[in-house]
Structure formats: structure tokens, C-alpha cells
Amino acid sequence: MLNQLTISELTSRLARRDISARELTQACLDQIARVDGTVHAFISHDPADALAQADAADHELAAGVTFAQKPLLGIPIAIKDVLAVKGHPLNCGSKILGKFISPYDATVIEKMKAAGAVVFGRLNMDEFAMGSSTETSAFGITRNPWDPSRIPGGSSGGSAAAVAADEAIATLGTDTGGSIRQPAALCGCVGLKPTYGRVSRYGLTAFASSLDQIGPFTKNIEDAARLLGVISGHDPKDSTSVAEPVPDYVAALDGQIRGLKLGLPKEYLIGGLDPEVKAAVDAAVKQYAALGAEIVDISLPHTDYAVATYYIVATAEASANLARFDGIRYGQRVDGADPIELYTRTRGAGFGAEVKRRIILGTYVLSSGYYDAYYLRAQKVRTLIRNDFLNAFKQVDAIITPTAPTAAFKIGEKSGDPLQMYLSDIFTISCNLAGISGISLPCGFTRSPKLPIGLQLLGQPFGEATLLKLAHAYEQSTPWHREKPAPIA
Amino acid sequence: MAATDIDVKYVAHLARIGLTPDEEVKMSAHLAGILGYIEKLKELDVTGVEPTAHAVPMVNVLRPDVVRPSLAHEAAMSNAPAKANGLFLVPKIVE
């Protein structure tokens, strides 16, 4: 089935005119019709609009446009509901935005359209990207394609599930504390969080502005390299995007990893780590050694403080960012006698429990009398965490860890205990605080039930080419990325 | 920095979030747990450590002061919950 193929496989078939972009998009739409009643990766999608884009791609292919000119021509790519796509709904998994329709395209969407992609669908997510299981969405839960009684991870749970269930060829998500890498691990696909500043955030609804990055979910590493090449680069509309040249990420996938140094942090192989996850990561480390990489024991001594630091920094930034949802300029409004009453009612009715919790926590840690004790102290610990990584990168080219401490957990298992949910991000959170790059790729399965296990590689700032090279070499020497979940009824 | 001194009603007011009495009770319990966990940051000596607000610090990012295309008025108003004469309608602020 066409929807199961990778971007590399599809572009060569499209170039030969062996298949049409319409057939390919239709194959994805058919798969959505077949499985999304169960998976619910999509909040909504517009089949007619997707097919019209596919037809336009077919016209361009007929007119001789090449993949060198438009690297994603005719490839259906679905979008997390936090990125603005002109003329389409944008809800951030929340009730508060009501019937909001984006009046403009996010920069990543402009870039994908310019590259010829069929940009479609609104993928489910934790409300405002706040969660690790996609259970806080106002639009219902998403189910893990490997076991529908389990969560797909989060916050980009829809983005991961759609790729795992072959409902799209690739997807975009966002990662503030692991929201790309953790769901990619739990759904058995590839998820890449670029270095802070690598990809423009213009048109991404901000959660925590100093931590958020946009990145791809794909079926293999080569596709991640292709997509990253399209969406990266400086954007005058995002003053935090960096004018660092964008290398040819696909060209970096040359298998030459002999002599590269991989750091194994002792702090990541302790407490709460599932034995099957540990065994899979241990085996991956051995595989890297067999491929010629040098494994170096390292220490990231402030790892244990990352979750606490994150839940101060991220909630503080969120409390400021989400002030814009006040019922005045867009979204749902609940009327009040005066503006304060209008705001309070609108936000009380529009936000879900987790978002309220984080805004209130963020407001508290910034409030008079508590700022120094919480926010300023967390910013200082952030420096220590960042220095841990910068010191490690003096010794090693990348760091190897599990992506998540366990495989996918059951729906409802952690939703009543916010702190337990937060601790499921323990291995991914430091990367965002330090602003470095990270990727998750499949490295095995638990035995019973069969659930994917993710391997995380963390790279230097703007070290994505090395990360992708390392990930690709491992992928090509292991069978995991070729495994598919059982057909979904 | 005591873990349980958060006055949820007051902070929710600062955040302009209306909570039901039931939500206030649940929120207090959850926040007490989270703040208790966050206390562990006190274990660290951060004397002399500079705070990090941004991992990739860039300051004074400027552009030439020239007019650029921007969102049209109508597009900017298109999602307004209440509008008239090209303006957002809000409750009366001045008596």
C-alpha cells in the first residue's frame, strides 16, 4: 500500500510517473477512513482540499518539475493542531479557540508548501501541548496503534500515531520537553527535535518560548533528514531563529560512524527504568560499538533536577504566553459585566484542568515574593544543566540514552497524578533546557504486549547532521524500523 | 518557600482563571504535590551561577526600519468573537 512507503521510495515512484500524487493522497485518506475511528490521530481533515493539492502536484510533475526543485512534491504530510495553516482550523487541542481559522501560514508550512508537500489534517495533541499522553486534549484521546488500550505519548500523540498507523507519510509536531521524542518512541517511529533556533517558530502557538521547537515525525531516518532540510533556516519573522547554514542532511547519511564518540550518561540508567527498555538500550549501545563507535562513560550530574527546573521555567513562560487567550480578539468568549469578569469566565470555561494547573503554577512562581526562590533559582539550575551538556560535548559527539523510562502506558494510568505524568519526561526534558538537538528512533520491542521502545540520541547545538548520521547507521543495521503494528480494526 | 502556602484562589485571580470550589480543592492538592517535588532545587548551591533565560542567547536582533506587508485588517479581525465598525467589542471600561 502506498501509504506505508517512505518519502524516498515515493519520490522515486512519483518521478517515474509510476504512481500519481492523487493515488498516494487517496491511499492516506482511505487509511484514515479505515483506522482513525479507533486511533483518532486526527481532530479533523479536509479530504477535498488534500486531493486538490495532490492534483496540483500531479500537474507540476507532468510539467516537468523535479524533486531537486521541490523535494516533497506530492507527499502528504499532516500537521499538529498547534501550527497555523492558512484557511484551516487551529485549536491547540483546546476548547478556548472555538471556531478559529488561521489567517496565515506558519513559516514551516510556507516552506513545506513551497517544497510541494500536500499539507493536510489537524493532528490531536495535549491541550496547548501540555501533557505526555494526549489525554488532555479537548477533542478526545488518541490511541496507540500498537495497542489501542494504551496512550500514544504526548503532547504530539496524534503526529506519532498517524505515522505509526500509516495515515500520513510524515507529520510535524512540536517538542517543549519531549513532545516529539517521547511519542515517537512510544509509537515506534522517528522523531527529531532540532536545536533551539534551527527552525522558525513563527505560526507556532507558543507554550514555552525558550523551549519550543518544531520537528518531523517519519518512518525512517532518511525521511527525517529530508524534512529537516526543508523546514530549517533563519526566518526574519522569528528573531530567535539562528542564521546558521542548513547542511545537506541526506548527504550526511554515509554510514561513516567509525571513531565517533557516544557518551553513556550514568544518571540515565537508574531508578524507574523498565528492565526491557534497559535491555534494548544496552543492546543498542553494543550495536554502536560493533559498528565502530567509541562508547564513553560520562556524567550529567544535574539530571535529577531537570524535571523540577522544567516545571518552573515552562509554566512561568506558559502563564505569560497563554495570557493572550482572553476572549477579546479571537476564540470563545463568555461575557461578563466588566473585562476582568469576562476574562475570568472565558478562561475558566475554555481551559482544561492541566492548562489551568500550569498557568496557575507559572503565575505563582513568578509572583511577588516567590520569584527569586522559584523562577530565578530554576534559571540558575538551567545554567548548570546546560553546562553539563556543553562539558560532555567536549568529550563526545553525541549522547545515547533511553527516550522514555517505559513503553506506552495504559490510558488513564497516570492521568490522575500530574507529578507521575511529569516524571515520564525525565529523559527528554534536559535537552530542551539546554537548547541542544535530540532524536528518538526505534530500538526494539517489549515482549508481551509487543510495544515499541525508543532510543534517544542527543547532539550538540546544530549537530543534527551528526545525529542523523549516527541514527541512520544504527537503523540500517537493525530491523526495528521495518516493523508495523497489527492491522487496526 | 514552604510547599503548601499557595493560595490557589488568589493566584487563580491573578491569572484571570475562574475556578469552581471543587476545582480549587483539587488544584490545591495537585499543586502542593508538585511544589513539594520542586523543593529539591533547594539542595543545590547556586551561588555565583548566572541565570539562563535562553539557551541560545541573542540580543538586540534588529531589522531595517522599513514598512513590510502585514496581516490585512479584515484578516486580523476575522476570528473576533464580537466586532463592529472594524473594531473589537469589549465590555464597558470607563463609567
Side-chain angles (χ1 to χ4, degrees):
Chain A
M1 289 197 295
L2 295 179
N3 54 305
Q4 296 186 318
L5 302 180
T6 63
I7 297 175
S8 348
E9 290 163 338
L10 289 165
T11 50
S12 62
R13 292 187 66 177
L14 285 164
R16 289 201 305 270
R17 312 302 311 285
D18 177 21
I19 57 166
S20 68
R22 174 175 264 270
E23 285 172 89
L24 169 56
T25 295
Q26 190 61 57
C28 292
L29 296 173
D30 289 347
Q31 179 71 351
I32 293 169
R34 232 179 343 255
V35 305
D36 213 54
T38 301
V39 176
H40 192 51
F42 287 83
I43 293 173
S44 67
H45 68 295
D46 180 345
D49 178 68
L51 289 169
Q53 292 179 61
D55 287 343
D58 280 327
H59 282 122
E60 293 197 272
L61 283 161
V65 175
T66 67
F67 285 95
Q69 293 164 306
K70 294 199 168 186
L72 299 173
L73 191 54
I75 304 295
I77 297 178
I79 308 299
K80 185 178 182 179
D81 189 33
V82 72
L83 294 164
V85 179
K86 190 174 181 176
H88 288 266
L90 174 81
N91 291 96
C92 303
S94 180
K95 277 193 298 199
I96 203 164
L97 273 151
K99 294 179 171 22
F100 188 92
I101 301 293
S102 296
Y104 65 89
D105 277 330
T107 295
V108 291
I109 301 300
E110 265 180 14
K111 284 172 176 269
M112 298 240 294
K113 286 181 175 174
V118 172
V119 172
F120 81 108
R122 306 301 304 169
L123 292 164
N124 201 18
M125 57 184 279
D126 281 299
E127 185 179 3
F128 286 104
M130 295 177 185
S132 308
S133 65
T134 314
E135 292 170 293
T136 73
S137 170
F139 297 89
I141 57 169
T142 295
R143 294 174 181 276
N144 192 312
W146 291 88
D147 177 351
S149 71
R150 291 173 190 270
I151 56 97
S155 67
S156 312
S159 303
V163 170
D166 291 316
E167 296 173 274
I169 305 307
T171 60
L172 288 187
T174 58
D175 190 316
T176 304
S179 285
I180 289 175
R181 291 159 288 151
Q182 183 256 21
L186 271 40
C187 289
C189 47
V190 171
L192 171 67
K193 185 208 91 80
T195 306
Y196 187 83
R198 175 74 295 183
V199 177
S200 168
R201 295 181 294 111
Y202 181 75
L204 157 63
T205 309
F207 158 17
S209 304
S210 80
L211 305 167
D212 298 339
Q213 270 291 288
I214 301 165
F217 286 85
T218 56
K219 299 180 208 262
N220 69 7
I221 297 295
E222 186 177 334
D223 283 4
R226 284 172 193 271
L227 224 49
L228 182 65
V230 170
I231 63 174
S232 291
H234 178 250
D235 176 13
K237 290 175 183 158
D238 174 6
S239 64
T240 64
S241 69
V242 177
E244 185 82 16
V246 180
D248 183 341
Y249 292 115
V250 179
L253 311 179
D254 57 9
Q256 302 299 310
I257 68 159
R258 188 160 292 279
L260 286 180
K261 292 196 177 98
L262 273 178
L264 191 59
K266 63 176 186 207
E267 291 82 2
Y268 280 59
L269 296 170
I270 49 162
L273 183 58
D274 179 87
E276 285 187 290
V277 173
K278 182 174 188 310
V281 173
D282 285 346
V285 170
K286 285 204 181 78
Q287 179 66 14
Y288 269 111
L291 290 169
E294 191 184 326
I295 309 298
V296 181
D297 286 319
I298 60 164
S299 174
L300 299 167
H302 298 94
T303 297
D304 196 31
Y305 301 97
V307 173
T309 303
Y310 176 86
Y311 280 94
I312 293 174
V313 170
T315 59
E317 293 186 18
S319 73
N321 275 324
L322 273 67
R324 60 171 60 88
F325 301 102
D326 56 8
I328 299 297
R329 290 152 300 162
Y330 38 70
Q332 285 188 354
R333 172 186 291 192
V334 181
D335 278 317
D338 57 56
I340 304 277
E341 193 174 84
L342 183 154
Y343 302 149
T344 306
R345 287 181 175 176
T346 295
R347 291 159 63 82
F351 289 137
E354 182 62 24
V355 173
K356 288 178 184 171
R357 187 151 51 227
R358 294 206 199 183
I359 293 174
I360 289 170
L361 179 59
T363 304
Y364 178 69
V365 299
L366 289 174
S367 62
S368 173
Y370 297 97
Y371 178 93
D372 284 4
Y374 288 113
Y375 186 63
L376 189 62
R377 174 168 283 265
Q379 285 191 313
K380 290 178 177 177
V381 180
R382 185 175 182 183
T383 303
L384 299 175
I385 291 167
R386 179 167 162 78
N387 289 345
D388 281 356
F389 282 97
L390 297 182
N391 286 332
F393 287 131
K394 287 176 189 160
Q395 292 178 65
V396 298
D397 298 290
I399 294 168
I400 185 167
T401 80
T403 307
T406 65
F409 46 90
K410 290 268 188 186
I411 290 162
E413 190 178 325
K414 297 188 185 183
S415 52
D417 186 344
L419 188 55
Q420 280 312 305
M421 187 73 89
Y422 296 173
L423 290 169
S424 68
D425 295 335
I426 195 156
F427 298 140
T428 49
I429 265 176
S430 302
C431 171
N432 302 73
L433 290 167
I436 61 174
S437 52
I439 192 167
S440 179
L441 66 157
C443 73
F445 292 89
T446 57
R447 198 164 298 129
S448 183
K450 182 179 178 179
L451 300 170
I453 298 171
L455 179 72
Q456 178 176 241
L457 299 174
L458 299 174
Q460 309 219 14
F462 301 98
E464 287 84 357
T466 304
L467 271 193
L468 287 161
K469 180 202 293 277
L470 282 162
H472 182 253
Y474 173 82
E475 175 194 76
Q476 293 302 304
S477 70
T478 53
W480 317 120
H481 65 290
R482 285 191 289 271
E483 303 252 358
K484 295 275 182 197
I488 297 154
Chain B
M1 199 164 161
T4 48
D5 70 350
I6 180 165
D7 179 347
V8 166
K9 201 180 192 125
Y10 172 68
V11 182
H13 172 73
L14 290 180
R16 304 291 185 254
I17 291 177
L19 296 177
T20 64
D22 181 49
E23 281 180 310
E24 270 175 33
V25 171
K26 279 193 189 134
M27 188 77 70
S28 296
H30 283 146
L31 289 176
I34 296 162
L35 287 167
Y37 177 77
I38 285 172
E39 290 284 303
K40 72 190 293 160
L41 293 186
K42 280 164 75 178
E43 295 166 9
L44 288 170
D45 181 5
V46 292
T47 317
V49 178
E50 285 294 313
T52 295
H54 250 262
V56 185
M58 292 197 293
V59 291
N60 297 339
V61 178
L62 303 173
R63 64 172 176 86
D65 185 17
V66 290
V67 177
R68 300 183 299 181
S70 59
L71 206 58
H73 186 110
E74 207 169 289
M77 298 290 301
S78 60
N79 287 295
K83 59 185 168 182
N85 306 324
L87 302 168
F88 296 107
L89 289 182
V90 297
K92 194 173 175 185
I93 295 166
V94 184
E95 288 302 322

